[in-house]
Amino acid sequence: FLWWVNNILPKSLPPELQKLTDEFDHHMLMEFAEYSDGEIEHLMSRLKKFQSQHPETVRFHVCEDPWSAQRAMLFRFAVAPAFRTYCIGLGQQGLSIDYALPKTFTKYPTLPEAKYPMMHRLVYSHFGCNVYHEDFVFDNKTDVHDAKMAIKKAVEAVGGKLPAEHGHGTEYHAPMDTQKRWMKADPSNTMNPGVGGTSFKKNYL
């Protein structure tokens, strides 16, 4: 339903931000406040200087009114459900993952695209901590679980971790020392049975 009506609904972003999304491929959303007098003024000065050094590739917009700021912040939370709607509308498979890379790493890991062709790829991340979220669109012939495990190996091959901030759940196997720490904290296996490759049974039997 959302796939069909989305294009007839008004744009959710303020016009100034929508214009930037049409002009640039990469965006950074910043929310900040002053802990001491003059911090915002100092930040604005540095932003203007940075923009002047890169006039063709950098532009920024300040959301002055509360409504615009709220719309911008809400937009970041719309990415995940929008991706799911997009995949359903295309009739294709979607995969969402999160992983962390070493802070010294400056490029994306080489993913197994030859074996698992990716129709579309969306990257969004936490600025400054090297945690990445990626959404992939695969055709219906691809084994998405196998693709996910292959991507996990590619990330770990460069010293990264997958998963990162969203935990192992019952999908990924945690390292044995992590499993032992969980088992020590929850010896009856009551709180999170099956997490990270542990047993689903009481007392881990």
Side-chain angles (χ1 to χ4, degrees), residues 6-15 18 21-22 67 71 75:
N6 183 62
N7 289 330
I8 65 175
L9 295 173
K11 300 289 186 182
S12 61
L13 284 174
Q18 186 63 50
T21 67
D22 296 334
W67 182 86
R71 298 307 300 177
F75 194 77

Side-chain angles (χ1 to χ4, degrees), residues 79-140:
V79 174
F83 173 69
R84 179 173 175 78
T85 300
Y86 182 73
C87 292
I88 292 173
L90 289 178
Q92 303 295 340
Q93 300 183 94
L95 170 64
S96 297
I97 61 173
D98 70 293
Y99 58 87
L101 295 176
K103 288 196 173 184
T104 55
F105 210 66
T106 58
K107 61 181 180 179
Y108 294 123
T110 301
L111 302 184
E113 296 186 57
K115 186 174 182 179
Y116 305 101
M118 301 163 186
M119 299 172 60
H120 300 288
R121 182 178 177 185
L122 172 65
V123 184
Y124 42 109
S125 61
H126 301 256
F127 181 71
C129 72
N130 274 27
V131 172
Y132 297 83
H133 298 260
E134 290 217 42
D135 294 330
F136 304 95
V137 180
F138 295 99
D139 64 28
N140 291 314

Side-chain angles (χ1 to χ4, degrees), residues 8-9 25 27 58 60 65 78 80 85 90 98-99 123 134 148 153 171 174 186 197 202 205:
I8 65 175
L9 295 173
D25 291 329
H27 308 86
V58 174
F60 70 88
D65 63 281
T85 300
L90 289 178
D98 70 293
Y99 58 87
V123 184
E134 290 217 42
K148 181 194 295 186
K153 288 182 179 179
E171 178 74 14
D186 179 24
K202 188 174 180 61
L205 298 176

